[in-house]
């Protein structure tokens, strides 16, 4: 899992998207994105693991700010073909844009958008 998280962190840095895994620990500056990774059952015989990376973006500014980042992510992780790489351990990774939807916050000034990315990882060796 660390290979995936390191890859995603690098991509988010390249895209200049403020991102942390599981909770925001830096001083709050809007917008920011929190990532959560959920796994599906088992590994297939070809070594494939499939996961979903849930990115939750939050801002006190405008919805357009979050939509612009959504568009960046759509381009960076195309739904067809995805963003692929060979990781340091020799595993192959492909990340695809999935879906996005607004998340109610109960605060009219706080906007939140959830973006789901599909992650496929082909492990090598053990």
């Amino acid at each position: 899992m660390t290979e995936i998280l390191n890859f995603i962190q690098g991509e988010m840095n390249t895209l200049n998207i403020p991102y942390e895994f599981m909770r925001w620990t830096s001083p709050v500056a809007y917008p920011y994105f929190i990532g959560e990774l959920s796994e599906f059952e088992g590994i297939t015989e070809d070594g494939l693991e499939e996961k979903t990376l849930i990115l939750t973006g939050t801002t006190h500014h405008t919805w357009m700010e979050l939509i612009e980042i959504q568009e960046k992510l759509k381009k960076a992780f195309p739904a067809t073909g995805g963003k692929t790489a060979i990781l340091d351990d020799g595993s192959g990774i492909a990340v695809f844009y999935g879906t996005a939807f607004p998340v109610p916050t109960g605060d009219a000034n706080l906007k939140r958008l959830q973006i789901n990315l599909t992650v496929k990882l082909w492990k090598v060796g053990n």
Side-chain angles (χ1 to χ4, degrees):
M1 184 160 84
T2 57
E3 325 81 11
I4 294 170
L5 297 177
N6 288 335
F7 178 77
I8 295 297
Q9 183 69 59
E11 293 300 309
M12 297 297 270
N13 289 345
T14 299
L15 295 168
N16 200 28
I17 297 172
Y19 164 81
E20 290 191 27
F21 184 67
M22 293 304 292
R23 70 183 185 100
W24 192 258
T25 60
S26 301
V28 176
Y30 295 101
Y32 65 87
F33 279 77
I34 304 291
E36 300 174 49
L37 194 63
S38 62
E39 297 183 342
F40 295 101
E41 222 176 284
I43 298 174
T44 62
E45 61 191 31
D46 64 354
L48 171 66
E49 294 179 24
E50 192 169 335
K51 304 169 188 313
T52 298
L53 179 68
I54 301 167
L55 298 171
T56 305
T58 304
T59 190
H60 268 299
H61 305 297
T62 67
W63 277 106
M64 281 308 293
E65 188 174 41
L66 294 175
I67 300 300
E68 287 169 0
I69 293 173
Q70 175 191 7
E71 291 298 320
K72 270 190 190 182
L73 291 167
K74 275 185 178 181
K75 287 180 185 173
F77 304 107
T80 304
K83 169 81 174 190
T84 61
I86 301 298
L87 304 176
D88 290 341
D89 69 355
S91 299
I93 191 170
V95 182
F96 306 85
Y97 180 88
T99 58
F101 53 90
V103 177
T105 63
D107 179 346
N109 295 317
L110 190 65
K111 288 103 179 144
R112 193 164 283 148
L113 182 68
Q114 179 176 317
I115 299 168
N116 298 320
L117 302 178
T118 299
V119 178
K120 294 186 179 192
L121 181 72
W122 288 267
K123 296 285 244 174
V124 292
N126 293 340

